[in-house]
Amino acid sequence: MTPVMTAEELNEFMREVFQQVAEDFNVDHVGEGEVTMRLITSDRHLRPGGTISGPSMFGLADVAAYLVTLSQIGPQALAVTTNCSIDFMRKPQAGVPLIAKARLLKLGKQLSVTDVLLFSEGTEAPVARASLTYAIPPRSMG
Amino acid sequence: MTPVMTAEELNEFMREVFQQVAEDFNVDHVGEGEVTMRLITSDRHLRPGGTISGPSMFGLADVAAYLVTLSQIGPQALAVTTNCSIDFMRKPQAGVPLIAKARLLKLGKQLSVTDVLLFSEGTEAPVARASLTYAIPPRSMG
Amino acid sequence: MTPVMTAEELNEFMREVFQQVAEDFNVDHVGEGEVTMRLITSDRHLRPGGTISGPSMFGLADVAAYLVTLSQIGPQALAVTTNCSIDFMRKPQAGVPLIAKARLLKLGKQLSVTDVLLFSEGTEAPVARASLTYAIPPRSMG
Amino acid sequence: MTPVMTAEELNEFMREVFQQVAEDFNVDHVGEGEVTMRLITSDRHLRPGGTISGPSMFGLADVAAYLVTLSQIGPQALAVTTNCSIDFMRKPQAGVPLIAKARLLKLGKQLSVTDVLLFSEGTEAPVARASLTYAIPPRSMG
């Protein structure tokens, strides 16, 4: 499970391929089958009261699961989420960055399965957990 | 399962309570334990190629489950999503409105469970399905 | 979505391939992308008080999703469940047969997605809902 | 998160309350918000080929989530599973005990959320992961 892409390469890949969302996220760390990243919060991620919205939490978990998959198979713009189950457990703290810790549980030829915990930075109890399945397309041969 | 709020009242409630997102959604129809609504697509909901993003689909399903719950219990700003499971099955059609059909499967004192199908308008095969659980807070007594 | 296997053929297939569980289930009806079947309840499916156990409900949903997939692609012993999300909503009635209504939402080359509602026979409110994903192996060529 | 019940007390509780299933399971270890337990495999848990069936894996995850909740709140026969999402990732090894590692992610007044990984004993890669929500009934006052 040695990664084939660095945090810098994953950030670069996002900026090239998902220009619209790349400014919302930053990969902080890539490990063996693990990625830690953050939501760069702006007004459009917030609900009244200043907490981060459900779709923004989903979006962070989704990108983290995608990038931890890519960190093992290399840059592929075409992988698609097929399933997500997410539990919202606590209200995120207002004004505190949201951190995702993604852990790849399975990397098969056709599917990857990733576990993601979301935290308000500096807090031990997770605000949400998610598991996501990605469909990996057959590799194009060169 | 006769609704206690009309489509107009649900739209009005969104505009009051979730000003930031209300312009993204419209409730088209309220039935017995059922709500049909749509995403009013703008650039920030789209991915390169013009298809609707995963977080936008999640957001529509989430709001639809919330509003079908409210249509039965009346306006309560405090209900919270505790769980969502979503399957992304087909790519939404570019340039076509996204429709949610939400059906309330259970309305208990503490929890509601809702099934949502998402469609590109005018297409029979659903692009996604979701099930969502809402925690209903104890009613404040007047 | 015209089925390629009848209820009788699905029951026959279960008896051949899953001898151990075939006596637990019966397919009642096969429609277009739909299967209705039942759990033939015996003591080992019950909890104290006579209600049907969670694993037995899961098992019925799982078999129903499998058989509705087979009803469209023909007998294949090798399809495997990759994901299940299940909501337990009401206590099943003691002494009443448990019915599954499975509806195929997607049949792709690699995956099928099925929605299942479970009912105590004769009752309108579902006791559980489940969605299941099956991985379909590449077809062997003759 | 210091547990209020030991492994021995959880095993004893199962034998008293769920006599029918208690012989299928054994709690090996209780930690802070964590329980490790095993399926005591017998013929009825197996599929042709000797691998453990899906419902048996579900059943082990379900009991593990229940017992890790009880380990924190004390013996309560009435907690009920409201939701389970499970990913089946690898085939369990035939003839090898199935181990569950359950970790409590949230313990609220009304709900607990637990993460479970299932392993063939002695193997590092999990065969399945599950997340489960339990509804905790209001405590009876003495």
Side-chain angles (χ1 to χ4, degrees), chain D residues 14-45:
Chain D
M14 269 199 296
R15 281 191 294 271
E16 279 171 26
V17 179
F18 296 112
Q19 207 177 335
Q20 277 170 303
V21 299
E23 61 189 25
D24 289 357
F25 302 110
N26 189 71
V27 177
D28 292 359
H29 177 75
V30 176
E32 297 203 355
E34 291 183 348
V35 158
T36 303
M37 60 184 297
R38 66 182 57 226
L39 179 69
I40 302 163
T41 315
S42 64
D43 277 359
R44 73 178 171 289
H45 302 119

Side-chain angles (χ1 to χ4, degrees), chain A residues 103 115 117 119 126 129, chain D residues 1 32-36 64-65 68-69 100-106 113-117 130-132:
Chain A
R103 190 166 46 125
D115 205 66
L117 287 173
F119 300 87
R129 65 144 295 283
Chain D
M1 296 277 261
E32 297 203 355
E34 291 183 348
V35 158
T36 303
V68 77
T69 302
K101 296 190 179 183
R103 190 166 47 125
L104 200 56
L105 294 181
K106 176 183 177 173
V113 180
T114 303
D115 204 67
V116 182
L117 288 173
S131 41
L132 298 105

Side-chain angles (χ1 to χ4, degrees), chain C residues 17-21 43-44 46-48 54-56 58-59 62-63 80-89 91 129, chain D residues 17-21 43-44 46-48 54-56 58-59 62-63 80-89 91 129:
Chain C
V17 178
F18 295 112
Q19 206 177 336
Q20 277 170 305
V21 300
D43 277 358
R44 71 177 172 287
L46 301 179
R47 286 280 186 267
S56 300
F58 169 85
D62 191 26
V63 167
V80 287
T81 316
T82 59
N83 174 264
C84 174
S85 164
I86 186 164
D87 291 289
F88 299 99
M89 299 186 292
K91 198 181 278 222
R129 65 144 295 283
Chain D
V17 179
F18 296 112
Q19 207 177 335
Q20 277 170 303
V21 299
D43 277 359
R44 73 178 171 289
L46 301 180
R47 286 280 186 267
S56 300
F58 170 85
D62 191 27
V63 168
V80 286
T81 316
T82 59
N83 173 264
C84 174
S85 165
I86 186 165
D87 292 289
F88 298 99
M89 300 186 291
K91 197 180 280 221
R129 66 143 293 283

Side-chain angles (χ1 to χ4, degrees), chain A residues 17-21 43-44 46-48 54-56 58-59 62-63 81-89 129, chain B residues 17-21 43-44 46-48 54-56 58-59 62-63 81-89 129:
Chain A
V17 177
F18 295 112
Q19 207 178 335
Q20 278 170 304
V21 299
D43 276 358
R44 72 177 172 287
L46 301 179
R47 285 280 187 268
S56 300
F58 170 85
D62 191 26
V63 168
T81 316
T82 58
N83 174 263
C84 174
S85 164
I86 185 164
D87 292 289
F88 298 99
M89 299 186 291
R129 65 144 295 283
Chain B
V17 178
F18 295 113
Q19 207 178 335
Q20 277 171 303
V21 299
D43 276 359
R44 70 177 173 288
L46 301 179
R47 285 281 186 265
S56 299
F58 170 85
D62 190 27
V63 168
T81 316
T82 58
N83 174 263
C84 173
S85 164
I86 185 164
D87 292 289
F88 299 98
M89 300 187 290
R129 67 144 293 283

Side-chain angles (χ1 to χ4, degrees), chain C residues 4-127:
Chain C
V4 301
M5 295 180 75
T6 63
E8 180 50 40
E9 287 167 344
L10 289 171
N11 283 319
E12 180 64 29
F13 176 79
M14 268 199 296
R15 282 192 292 270
E16 280 172 24
V17 178
F18 295 112
Q19 206 177 336
Q20 277 170 305
V21 300
E23 62 190 25
D24 289 358
F25 302 111
N26 189 70
V27 178
D28 293 358
H29 177 74
V30 176
E32 298 204 355
E34 291 182 349
V35 157
T36 303
M37 59 184 298
R38 68 181 56 227
L39 179 69
I40 301 163
T41 314
S42 64
D43 277 358
R44 71 177 172 287
H45 303 120
L46 301 179
R47 286 280 186 267
T51 51
I52 292 164
S53 74
S56 300
M57 289 194 269
F58 169 85
L60 175 60
D62 191 26
V63 167
Y66 177 43
L67 293 183
V68 76
T69 301
L70 294 198
S71 77
Q72 294 288 329
I73 65 173
Q76 299 208 12
L78 295 171
V80 287
T81 316
T82 59
N83 174 264
C84 174
S85 164
I86 186 164
D87 291 289
F88 299 99
M89 299 186 292
R90 295 170 181 88
K91 198 181 278 222
Q93 290 179 39
V96 175
L98 190 65
I99 306 294
K101 296 190 180 184
R103 189 166 47 124
L104 200 57
L105 294 180
K106 176 185 177 171
L107 179 59
K109 279 179 202 161
Q110 295 185 357
L111 294 175
S112 74
V113 180
T114 302
D115 205 65
V116 182
L117 287 174
L118 300 182
F119 300 86
S120 290
E121 192 168 32
T123 310
E124 208 175 325
V127 300

Side-chain angles (χ1 to χ4, degrees), chain B residues 72-105:
Chain B
Q72 294 288 329
I73 64 173
Q76 299 208 12
L78 295 171
V80 286
T81 316
T82 58
N83 174 263
C84 173
S85 164
I86 185 164
D87 292 289
F88 299 98
M89 300 187 290
R90 295 171 182 89
K91 197 181 279 220
Q93 290 179 38
V96 175
L98 190 66
I99 306 294
K101 296 189 178 183
R103 190 165 46 125
L104 201 56
L105 295 181

Side-chain angles (χ1 to χ4, degrees), chain A residues 10-11 13-27 37-42 44-45 59-60 62-63 66-67, chain B residues 43-48 53-56:
Chain A
L10 288 171
N11 283 318
F13 176 80
M14 268 200 295
R15 279 192 294 270
E16 280 172 25
V17 177
F18 295 112
Q19 207 178 335
Q20 278 170 304
V21 299
E23 62 189 24
D24 289 358
F25 301 111
N26 189 71
V27 178
M37 60 184 297
R38 68 181 56 225
L39 179 69
I40 301 164
T41 314
S42 64
R44 72 177 172 287
H45 303 118
L60 175 60
D62 191 26
V63 168
Y66 177 44
L67 293 184
Chain B
D43 276 359
R44 70 177 173 288
H45 303 119
L46 301 179
R47 285 281 186 265
S53 74
S56 299

